[in-house]
Amino acid sequence: YQRRVRADDATRAAQVTQWRDFARSEIDLPAAAWLYPIRGLVPENRAATTHAKADIRRVLAALERRLVDSDWLVGDALTMADIATVGSLLPLFELVLDANMRQPYPAAVAWLQNTSRIAKFGEIQLCEKMMVAPKKK
């Protein structure tokens, strides 16, 4: 029994690490390509923005598949996997993922809101109108 518990703990720890790496590589990079021009940090590159939007849709679809039958990314309770992934997604949900963009992903949206509430991220305001990069002068 003792070995089984340790193996389960090691598996869950690996899964948490996997989701944290997923957030860094699959969310943070396209989020930067999409949001940095909106924030005026870099000039807009329309091809990069279009690619980033497609990447984020794939991320949300993957999360939806995982969360349609589960409340959490790993196990049956909130973990750092949920917190890290939500932390990466929050700016997108607040600035560019309007109701139309969120509509295909109800489980992912519910999970984000639940995780944000439990982890005390504060009150989140979901995007009503997708922000866009300022026009070049």
Side-chain angles (χ1 to χ4, degrees):
Y1 177 77
Q2 186 91 12
R3 286 185 184 150
R4 173 91 173 136
V5 170
R6 287 187 183 144
D8 288 347
D9 289 346
T11 299
R12 286 193 180 182
Q15 290 170 339
V16 167
T17 298
Q18 184 178 20
W19 280 107
R20 288 174 49 208
D21 290 346
F22 175 84
R24 274 188 236 128
S25 63
E26 302 298 322
I27 301 170
D28 291 349
L29 294 175
W34 192 354
L35 298 177
Y36 282 13
I38 292 169
R39 292 179 171 162
L41 300 173
V42 298
E44 182 182 25
N45 176 323
R46 288 188 185 190
T49 301
T50 299
H51 190 73
K53 288 178 183 181
D55 288 345
I56 295 301
R57 284 187 183 101
R58 281 191 290 278
V59 163
L60 293 172
L63 287 167
E64 185 69 18
R65 286 189 301 274
R66 171 66 185 114
L67 296 163
V68 75
D69 293 322
S70 179
D71 292 333
W72 309 106
L73 294 176
V74 177
D76 57 0
L78 179 72
T79 66
M80 281 304 298
D82 303 288
I83 292 168
T85 306
V86 165
S88 291
L89 286 169
L90 271 178
L92 293 160
F93 274 84
E94 293 174 329
L95 299 176
V96 293
L97 297 176
D98 60 18
N100 193 40
M101 290 278 293
R102 295 189 306 266
Q103 187 273 328
Y105 317 107
V109 173
W111 160 80
L112 177 121
Q113 292 174 310
N114 192 37
T115 299
S116 297
R117 181 181 51 77
I118 292 170
K120 300 190 186 307
F121 276 101
E123 186 66 30
I124 62 167
Q125 296 294 319
L126 295 178
C127 175
E128 292 182 23
K129 183 174 189 256
M130 183 187 301
M131 292 182 71
V132 296
K135 300 286 184 203
K136 294 179 185 176
K137 294 180 181 181

